[in-house]
Amino acid sequence: MMKLNTLVLTGALALCMGLAISTHALAADAKPTPAANVDTDGDGIPDQAEVVLGTDPEDPDTDGDGINDREDPNPTFLENPHAKDGAPAPFVIVKAQVEDNYDFAKKKDAPDHFELLVKNNTPADLVGFSLYYSVTDVKTGKVEAYYKKLGQFAVPGNKEARIHFDTTTPGPARATAAKEAGHFRANPNGSYYKTTNAKKVLFDFKLDGYAPVQATVEKAEGGAETND
């Protein structure tokens, strides 16, 4: 299997090592720093290099395709794994949002992030969801895509529920850290957060055994805001 572009990875590692060396060389008695070697998610790529590569330092499989980032030739993209067939979904996407988010619990604006409001049209609770979403840079045409099974996330019968993908939610590398219900990890080094170009985001939301439901939303130029 082709691995992550060797030249790209080598360059990122060299850059990180160079930064660490230059910073601590200023003091004659400076002790060696382990910062350049910290690898929070254990994927073989130091955290500082993950910033350069655009991968998540808290997730060894940034795009969710089942391949370790260092072994993955394109660690921030996978083809949509969702089958298109199946019975009509028993839910609808009421709203898809990628900016101007609001925290209803705290009653204040929230940092820009990926969010879906989903309505269950049946009396029974729904569980067994997965989400595939792609982010297209309108200016460059570059596409990133991610896939996540949502585990025990449920939409109660005849009610609505919100799903959030944000950078404050801890990744798999911090599995024991507290997580807010309905919140999942987004890649903090992805183009959505790191470039100011306008984006087009496609959500493909699927319940096991049913056809997926899609929603597309655009994000204005300017990058993700920390607090609107």
Side-chain angles (χ1 to χ4, degrees):
M1 178 182 294
M2 183 185 295
K3 295 184 178 182
L4 177 63
N5 188 294
T6 303
L7 290 177
V8 175
L9 178 57
T10 301
L13 292 171
L15 176 61
C16 293
M17 290 300 295
L19 289 173
I21 292 172
S22 62
T23 298
H24 289 268
L26 296 177
D29 59 345
K31 296 180 180 179
T33 174
N37 296 319
V38 172
D39 180 10
T40 300
D41 59 13
D43 61 359
I45 306 174
D47 291 0
Q48 291 185 7
E50 302 233 33
V51 176
V52 179
L53 296 171
T55 50
D56 188 346
E58 292 191 16
D59 192 340
D61 178 16
T62 298
D63 58 12
D65 62 359
I67 304 173
N68 177 284
D69 284 345
R70 185 159 185 164
E71 304 296 322
D72 196 335
N74 193 346
T76 57
F77 179 83
L78 75 160
E79 297 292 344
N80 191 346
H82 285 161
K84 300 303 180 185
D85 56 355
F91 66 89
V92 295
I93 296 176
V94 177
K95 186 177 184 180
Q97 199 166 356
V98 294
E99 59 184 348
D100 301 323
N101 301 81
Y102 186 78
D103 189 325
F104 290 91
K106 298 179 181 179
K107 298 182 179 180
K108 66 177 185 178
D109 293 339
D112 288 348
H113 63 276
F114 307 99
E115 180 178 351
L116 290 179
L117 175 61
V118 179
K119 181 180 180 181
N120 181 351
N121 292 325
T122 73
D125 294 355
L126 298 178
V127 65
F129 290 96
S130 57
L131 177 66
Y132 173 86
Y133 64 101
S134 63
V135 181
T136 301
D137 186 307
V138 174
K139 183 176 182 179
T140 67
K142 179 183 177 180
V143 181
E144 295 179 352
Y146 306 91
Y147 172 72
K148 181 72 174 180
K149 291 184 177 181
L150 305 189
Q152 295 304 306
F153 169 79
V155 183
N158 294 320
K159 293 185 178 181
E160 297 178 341
R162 293 181 183 273
I163 305 128
H164 306 263
F165 275 72
D166 53 48
T167 59
T168 58
T169 300
R174 294 195 293 137
T176 59
K179 297 180 182 179
E180 189 174 351
H183 286 250
F184 301 88
R185 176 79 172 177
N187 178 14
N189 295 320
S191 63
Y192 173 83
Y193 290 101
K194 292 299 185 179
T195 74
T196 59
N197 297 339
K199 310 291 190 310
K200 178 180 287 187
V201 180
L202 167 68
F203 294 101
D204 194 87
F205 195 53
K206 182 177 174 63
L207 178 65
D208 292 344
Y210 296 90
V213 175
Q214 292 188 343
T216 302
V217 62
E218 296 184 355
K219 188 180 191 323
E221 185 176 1
E225 299 178 7
T226 56
N227 196 2
D228 291 353

